[in-house]
Amino acid sequence: MKQHRFNHWSEIKYLQDIVTNPMIEVGEYSYYSGYYDNHDFEDGCVRYLWGDEKSRKLFNPIEDLGWHLDKLIIGNYVCIASGVIILMGGNHNHHPEWVTVYPFVEQIQTSYEPKGDTIIESDAWIGMNAMIMPGVKIGEGAIVAAGSVVVKDVPPYTIVGGNPAKEIKKRFTDEEIEMLKEMRWFDWEREKIERASHILSSSSINQLYEFYQRVIQP
């Protein structure tokens, strides 16, 4: 049953409030803005992921077949726009090196091929209608441009775009990126994040680092 419909384009859904699939791990304050897509997060945005109620009723791939099932792991403060597609490994039974790519039911156990966990690290922004392929890691603070197809890992604080997605530019200097990776603001207590929200909503990484040294480190 559909449970999480959107009423307006400005509405967002916090993933921690709507995710039920045990194969999805979600951090705090990460959201999905899916009004224009008209799909639930787990039944449209995320595709071919084992672990939902219906797939568990079909059979248990872990117990019955000994499969290692790929997970979707999402960090804190991740922004996922409408139309995003996150492809998982549940349909990876097609082998281009075999005579046929057709997945015969009798060969389902030997044809399954795990792709590894798909990871979207904290503070990443996935733009509208982007597609993330299985086993990809989106680094913290990265931005995936609208309509992009991400087929390989994206470094932290990097903007990528296109099909296949390629690096457009770094968001900050290498030194600033190292400072951000050290601070990991998205892991701070919410109260401290709110105190620093005016800095986070600016370009002053040095000022944020001063706050970090004064408030977070002691």
Side-chain angles (χ1 to χ4, degrees):
M1 182 177 68
K2 308 297 184 184
Q3 300 179 11
H4 307 294
R5 289 304 184 201
F6 293 82
N7 297 315
H8 190 262
W9 63 264
S10 64
E11 186 181 6
I12 63 173
K13 303 287 188 182
Y14 287 116
L15 298 181
Q16 61 190 10
D17 296 331
I18 63 176
V19 164
T20 60
N21 192 316
M23 303 306 291
I24 303 178
E25 298 178 9
V26 178
E28 295 184 319
Y29 298 100
S30 292
Y31 72 76
Y32 174 52
S33 178
Y35 173 75
Y36 291 111
D37 195 32
N38 200 32
H39 283 296
D40 294 331
F41 179 74
E42 294 178 296
D43 187 24
C45 178
V46 182
R47 304 186 182 186
Y48 302 113
L49 177 66
W50 287 102
D52 61 279
E53 183 178 357
K54 187 170 184 177
S55 69
R56 289 198 301 267
K57 288 180 179 178
L58 293 174
F59 64 99
N60 189 322
I62 299 176
E63 295 180 2
D64 297 346
L65 301 179
W67 289 356
H68 168 77
L69 294 184
D70 305 329
K71 290 185 177 181
L72 172 59
I73 302 172
I74 300 173
N76 302 326
Y77 297 91
V78 170
C79 310
I80 301 177
S82 184
V84 168
I85 295 175
I86 302 173
L87 288 180
M88 300 300 295
N91 70 329
H92 278 281
N93 304 94
H94 308 270
H95 287 264
E97 75 278 10
W98 289 5
V99 173
T100 180
V101 295
Y102 188 85
F104 288 104
V105 174
E106 296 83 1
Q107 304 301 321
I108 197 74
Q109 181 171 358
T110 56
S111 65
Y112 176 75
E113 181 179 345
K115 293 294 183 178
D117 295 336
T118 299
I119 302 172
I120 306 176
E121 293 191 328
S122 298
D123 195 31
W125 175 21
I126 315 301
M128 182 174 283
N129 295 325
M131 179 181 292
I132 300 174
M133 300 302 286
V136 165
K137 180 178 181 180
I138 310 293
E140 68 180 71
I143 297 175
V144 176
S148 301
V149 179
V150 184
V151 299
K152 63 180 181 179
D153 293 354
V154 178
Y157 297 98
T158 301
I159 302 174
V160 300
N163 180 9
K166 297 181 180 179
E167 180 175 326
I168 297 173
K169 67 176 183 177
K170 299 286 188 183
R171 292 180 59 195
F172 308 105
T173 67
D174 290 342
E175 181 180 359
E176 289 172 331
I177 290 174
E178 289 305 313
M179 293 169 66
L180 289 165
K181 290 167 66 176
E182 176 186 346
M183 289 186 284
R184 297 182 60 83
W185 69 264
F186 38 76
D187 289 336
W188 300 352
E189 295 177 359
R190 178 68 180 189
E191 179 271 332
K192 291 184 172 62
I193 291 176
E194 291 176 350
R195 285 174 58 185
S197 63
H198 65 291
I199 309 174
L200 290 165
S201 301
S202 75
S203 301
S204 182
I205 294 175
N206 287 330
Q207 188 178 356
L208 183 65
Y209 196 76
E210 291 174 2
F211 179 90
Y212 168 73
Q213 291 180 312
R214 185 178 73 255
V215 178
I216 306 300
Q217 278 194 323

